[in-house]
């Protein structure tokens, strides 16, 4: 494609735009989704990590960086030249940081300001409480621990670096041994129940909230501890960790769906009252534990596509009900962008 001298953000032809994302996380479905909707796409890869995109032949064009630190004005001007719209995902936000994302010049799908609300645990909690969601208790200091808690260090990527404790003594044992110098953490009540990650999509173009699918994570070593006897676990002195390895699809009992839709509605409605640009739209995820009494405790929100949507490249049981084509979240994003372009409403979904 010939690079454009000037950006064509005002064009109402989808072929004048390119869907662009960083090669990691959920890029395969974002790129395939763009093609499925008849749009061109581009992937920005760290040198040496392009193999999956080439092997599955999902990308029309590649840009390369040696390192994500090298994300600079040059890369951005390449994107601007191509009239690219960046689709953020978990790795994008975590490699670049929300401040760097805020300063970015190319077109960006979503609300940049919302990333600060999801990455700051205090702000995130304020938002979710206002949306009247049930949240795990938070302990102000380790001395207050009076039952099972999960300790989360700030910026712990993919669950790595979390630990479980049941008393102040046990907290300090693990903390002092493994993380003596890291004092940026939160102590949350450990909720016993089934983790479910609900994938939503809210469209300001159609005004509709959709549930696209659900997953649970496959975590090391939390998902393998149950494979050995309790005595052996104790003898091996294993500490539970939650490093994410992959995702399983889930379908929940149907009677939980009405409340799940309402929870999503409230989170979107409250986001509009935060000082956060256009508020929350597009893909997002409520991460919850459902107890035996079917209470849904939300422990986190992700305000962008989550990797748990990856099992649904061919659509989920939920999207099969609504769409007559296989609808991944990646494809849903491309469809939203295409419709917004053709309706002359693109600026409404750019951050
Ligand atoms: P996260 O990285 O926040 O998605 O969480 C990683 C893992 O910790 C997931 O398996 C969650 O189910 C688990 N987890 C997080 N917070 C809690 C909590 N408050 N109670 C129980 N499990 C939790």
């Amino acid at each position: 494609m010939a690079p454009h001298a000037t950006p064509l953000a005002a064009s109402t032809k989808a072929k004048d735009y390119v869907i662009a994302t960083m090669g990691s996380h959920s890029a395969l479905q974002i790129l395939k989704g763009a093609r499925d909707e008849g749009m061109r796409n581009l992937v920005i890869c760290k040198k040496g990590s392009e193999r999956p995109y080439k092997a599955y032949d999902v990308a029309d064009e590649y840009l390369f960086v040696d390192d994500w630190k090298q994300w600079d004005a040059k890369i951005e001007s390449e994107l601007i030249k191509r009239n690219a719209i960046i689709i953020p995902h978990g790795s994008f936000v975590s490699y670049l940081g929300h401040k760097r994302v805020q300063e970015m010049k190319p077109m960006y799908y979503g609300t940049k300001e919302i990333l600060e609300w999801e990455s700051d645990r205090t702000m995130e909690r304020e938002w979710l409480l206002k949306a009247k969601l049930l949240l795990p208790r938070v302990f102000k200091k380790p001395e207050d621990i009076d039952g099972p808690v999960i300790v989360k260090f700030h910026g712990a990527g993919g669950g790595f670096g979390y630990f479980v404790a049941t008393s102040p003594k046990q907290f300090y044992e693990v903390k002092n041994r493994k993380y003596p110098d890291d004092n940026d953490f939160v102590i949350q009540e450990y909720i016993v129940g089934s983790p479910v990650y609900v994938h939503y999509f809210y469209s300001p173009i159609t005004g509709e909230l959709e549930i696209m699918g659900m997953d649970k994570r496959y975590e090391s070593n939390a998902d393998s501890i149950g494979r050995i006897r309790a005595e052996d676990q104790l003898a091996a002195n294993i500490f539970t960790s939650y490093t994410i390895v992959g995702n399983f699809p889930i379908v929940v009992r149907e009677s939980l769906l009405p409340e799940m839709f309402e929870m999503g509605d409230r989170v979107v409605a409250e986001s509009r009252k935060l000082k956060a640009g256009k508020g929350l739209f597009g893909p997002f995820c409520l991460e919850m534990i459902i107890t035996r009494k079917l209470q849904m405790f939300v422990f986190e929100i992700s305000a962008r596509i989550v990797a748990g949507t990856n099992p649904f490249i061919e659509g989920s049981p939920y999207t099969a009900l609504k769409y007559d084509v296989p609808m991944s979240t990646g494809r849903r994003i491309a469809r939203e962008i295409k419709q917004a372009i053709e309706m002359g409403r693109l600026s409404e979904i750019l951050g």
Side-chain angles (χ1 to χ4, degrees):
M1 184 189 184
H4 297 295
T6 49
L8 292 172
S11 165
T12 54
K13 291 196 193 93
K15 69 170 183 44
D16 285 336
Y17 297 81
V18 172
I19 300 268
T21 199
M22 179 188 263
S24 181
H25 193 267
S26 45
L28 287 168
Q29 61 161 306
I30 293 172
L31 297 167
K32 177 174 183 337
R35 278 207 182 151
D36 287 344
E37 290 298 308
M39 291 188 69
R40 287 184 58 81
N41 70 24
L42 173 160
V43 63
I44 308 137
C45 288
K46 191 168 143 177
K47 271 183 204 143
S49 60
E50 66 275 20
R51 176 102 186 246
Y53 312 101
K54 295 218 155 136
Y56 296 115
D57 190 19
V58 287
D60 297 323
E61 198 180 348
Y62 293 78
L63 290 180
F64 288 98
V65 293
D66 291 326
D67 197 275
W68 293 120
K69 286 192 201 87
Q70 200 206 316
W71 181 288
D72 55 11
K74 203 166 132 247
I75 278 278
E76 293 195 8
S77 80
E78 291 295 325
L79 293 170
I80 292 168
K81 259 201 304 206
R82 289 166 175 77
N83 227 24
I85 301 171
I86 298 178
I87 312 300
H89 53 50
S91 304
F92 182 81
V93 177
S94 103
Y95 294 159
L96 298 180
H98 70 86
K99 292 211 175 77
R100 185 72 196 77
V101 175
Q102 296 258 1
E103 293 158 6
M104 225 164 249
K105 298 280 188 300
M107 285 186 279
Y108 173 94
Y109 173 66
T111 297
K112 289 177 180 172
E113 294 90 336
I114 211 81
L115 298 177
E116 195 184 352
W117 284 86
E118 66 144 37
S119 67
D120 180 309
R121 290 196 201 276
T122 315
M123 290 166 79
E124 177 188 44
R125 195 171 173 85
E126 184 190 326
W127 172 16
L128 299 181
L129 281 172
K130 281 188 179 152
K132 305 218 164 12
L133 301 184
L134 204 52
L135 308 185
R137 278 161 68 204
V138 164
F139 295 83
K140 286 216 170 71
K141 48 184 195 310
E143 287 67 27
D144 297 340
I145 296 173
D146 59 0
V149 297
I150 180 161
V151 182
K152 303 178 175 183
F153 287 90
H154 186 74
F160 183 79
Y162 290 2
F163 71 88
V164 173
T166 52
S167 65
K169 181 168 171 280
Q170 201 190 4
F171 169 89
Y172 282 114
E173 253 171 43
V174 183
K175 161 86 176 68
N176 293 341
R177 187 164 61 85
K178 294 179 78 179
Y179 311 98
D181 302 320
D182 196 343
N183 290 312
D184 190 7
F185 56 81
V186 66
I187 305 173
Q188 239 178 40
E189 174 189 10
Y190 185 89
I191 309 289
V192 179
S194 308
V196 178
Y197 292 63
V198 184
H199 320 142
Y200 294 90
F201 189 95
Y202 172 68
S203 164
I205 301 298
T206 64
E208 198 184 333
L209 177 82
E210 300 168 42
I211 290 182
M212 304 295 293
M214 298 168 203
D215 77 292
K216 71 171 254 184
R217 292 175 163 192
Y218 192 35
E219 288 158 333
S220 189
N221 58 16
D223 288 314
S224 56
I225 288 174
R227 295 163 62 97
I228 53 177
R229 292 188 311 163
E231 294 97 289
D232 296 335
Q233 292 173 27
L234 291 172
N237 198 22
I238 298 167
F239 286 94
T240 317
S241 61
Y242 298 89
T243 305
I244 180 134
V245 176
N247 305 81
F248 298 107
I250 289 190
V251 170
V252 285
R253 51 192 286 176
E254 208 156 303
S255 57
L256 293 174
L257 286 174
E259 175 65 9
M260 285 178 169
F261 273 106
E262 283 164 24
M263 290 162 75
D265 284 340
R266 296 202 298 272
V267 167
V268 171
E270 278 309 315
S271 77
R272 302 229 180 98
K273 302 181 197 156
L274 309 172
K275 286 195 187 72
K278 295 168 187 149
L280 178 66
F281 62 84
F284 68 97
C285 176
L286 290 180
E287 314 184 350
M288 61 186 79
I289 310 277
I290 307 182
T291 67
R292 67 194 170 91
K293 294 186 178 158
L294 299 181
Q295 286 184 301
M296 300 185 224
F297 284 88
V298 175
F299 59 89
E300 205 163 309
I301 183 169
S302 293
R304 32 97 194 148
I305 185 170
V306 288
T309 58
N310 285 339
F312 304 119
I313 290 192
E314 279 291 293
S316 77
Y318 297 104
T319 59
L321 295 166
K322 189 171 166 60
Y323 294 97
D324 53 13
V325 293
M327 186 58 71
S328 67
T329 294
R331 182 168 184 179
R332 183 67 190 82
I333 294 171
R335 183 167 284 197
E336 180 84 346
I337 291 174
K338 190 175 164 191
Q339 285 177 344
I341 291 171
E342 289 170 354
M343 293 164 89
R345 296 176 62 184
L346 181 59
S347 63
E348 290 175 42
I349 56 166
L350 298 181

